[in-house]
Amino acid sequence: MNIFRLAGDMTHLASVLVLLLKIHTIKSCAGVSLKTQELYAIVFATRYLDIFTSFVSVYNTFMKLVFLGSSFSIVWYMRSHKAVHRTYDREQDTFRHWFLVLPCLLLALLIHEKFTFLEVLWTFSLFLEAVAILPQLVLLQRTRNIDNLTGQYIFLLGGYRGLYILNWIYRYFTEPHFVHWITWIAGLVQTLLYADFFYYYFLSWKNNKKLQLPA
C-alpha cells in the first residue's frame, strides 16, 4: 500500500458515494447510463470471485464488498425503484454494451498471465473496465447538459484511474520485478477515454460555466 494506491481507492469510493447520493437522495438517475453501471457490476462480480478463495486483509475484503454491493444496488435502483427508474433516459442510453462483453472475454482467453478460471475472469474484468465508461460518455455527448453530481462522479471515476497509474509508476521504481503489462495497458486505455471529458470539465471549471460536451 502506498499513498497513490490509497488515494486512488478513496477517489473510487468517493465516485460511488456521489452517484449513490444522487440516486438515493434526489431519487434521480438522469444523465447516468444504466449500460455502464451494468458493465461495472459484471466487472466487480468477475474480479472479486477470489473473495471466496483467498484473504489479503480486512481493508481489501471491505473494499471488495463495498464495490460489489454498491454496483449491484445502483443497477437495482435504476431498474426497479419506481421513482428513480422514471428519471432514466432509455431513449438516449442506447449504446449496445453487450457487444463489449464478448470481445473482452475472447481477448482474456487469448491474453492472460496464467490460464486458470479466476485469472482469466480477472483479466476479462480489466479489459471490460477499460471500456465500460463508453456508454456513459456517449450518453453525455447526446444529452450535452450535465448536472454537477454526474460530472463529479465521472471526474472522480477518471481520477481514480489516473492515481492508479501513479501507483504503478511508484511501485515499478520501488519494487523489484513489478511488471504487469496487461493491467498497465488496460488502465492506460481507460484513462485515455476520459481525456476529452477532463478537457471540457476543466474548461467549465476555469470559465465558471455549466459543463457541456460537444455533440
Side-chain angles (χ1 to χ4, degrees), residues 129-215:
E129 185 185 14
V131 295
I133 196 63
L134 281 174
Q136 179 65 68
L137 295 177
V138 170
L139 176 62
L140 293 183
Q141 286 187 321
R142 287 175 177 173
T143 56
R144 298 195 65 190
N145 291 317
I146 306 165
D147 64 79
N148 288 334
L149 287 177
T150 303
Q152 289 170 12
Y153 161 68
I154 299 168
F155 174 77
L156 290 168
L157 204 56
Y160 127 75
R161 183 47 67 186
L163 287 166
Y164 255 59
I165 289 179
L166 294 178
N167 162 59
W168 296 332
I169 294 172
Y170 174 82
R171 293 183 65 184
Y172 177 78
F173 286 108
T174 58
E175 298 179 20
H177 312 299
F178 180 75
V179 178
H180 296 284
W181 288 109
I182 295 174
T183 306
W184 294 351
I185 293 172
L188 183 60
V189 169
Q190 184 179 354
T191 305
L192 290 174
L193 290 177
Y194 285 92
D196 191 56
F197 173 83
F198 276 131
Y199 172 76
Y200 289 102
Y201 186 93
F202 283 115
L203 207 61
S204 68
W205 174 78
K206 179 182 176 182
N207 298 324
N208 196 27
K209 292 182 178 180
K210 186 177 177 63
L211 177 61
Q212 287 186 326
L213 295 182

Side-chain angles (χ1 to χ4, degrees), residues 44-159:
F44 295 129
T46 52
R47 179 175 300 172
Y48 296 147
L49 283 175
D50 64 346
I51 201 171
F52 300 107
T53 60
S54 61
F55 176 79
V56 178
S57 66
V58 173
Y59 171 83
N60 184 270
T61 301
F62 173 76
M63 294 300 284
K64 288 178 179 179
L65 290 173
V66 167
F67 290 126
L68 276 168
S70 60
S71 61
F72 280 97
S73 64
I74 290 169
V75 171
W76 178 85
Y77 262 113
M78 295 183 69
R79 279 191 169 276
S80 303
H81 193 285
K82 289 184 179 179
V84 176
H85 183 70
R86 279 198 297 267
T87 65
Y88 171 53
D89 194 350
R90 183 188 300 273
E91 292 183 0
Q92 297 287 351
D93 190 24
T94 58
F95 192 101
R96 296 185 179 182
H97 60 320
W98 300 119
F99 287 120
L100 297 173
V101 176
L102 184 58
C104 288
L105 181 57
L106 292 175
L107 192 59
L109 287 169
L110 294 172
I111 304 173
H112 46 261
E113 293 185 0
K114 195 189 317 181
F115 190 65
T116 64
F117 178 71
L118 289 180
E119 187 69 25
V120 169
L121 286 183
W122 180 79
T123 306
F124 162 71
S125 76
L126 291 178
F127 294 150
L128 188 60
E129 185 185 14
V131 295
I133 196 63
L134 281 174
Q136 179 65 68
L137 295 177
V138 170
L139 176 62
L140 293 183
Q141 286 187 321
R142 287 175 177 173
T143 56
R144 298 195 65 190
N145 291 317
I146 306 165
D147 64 79
N148 288 334
L149 287 177
T150 303
Q152 289 170 12
Y153 161 68
I154 299 168
F155 174 77
L156 290 168
L157 204 56

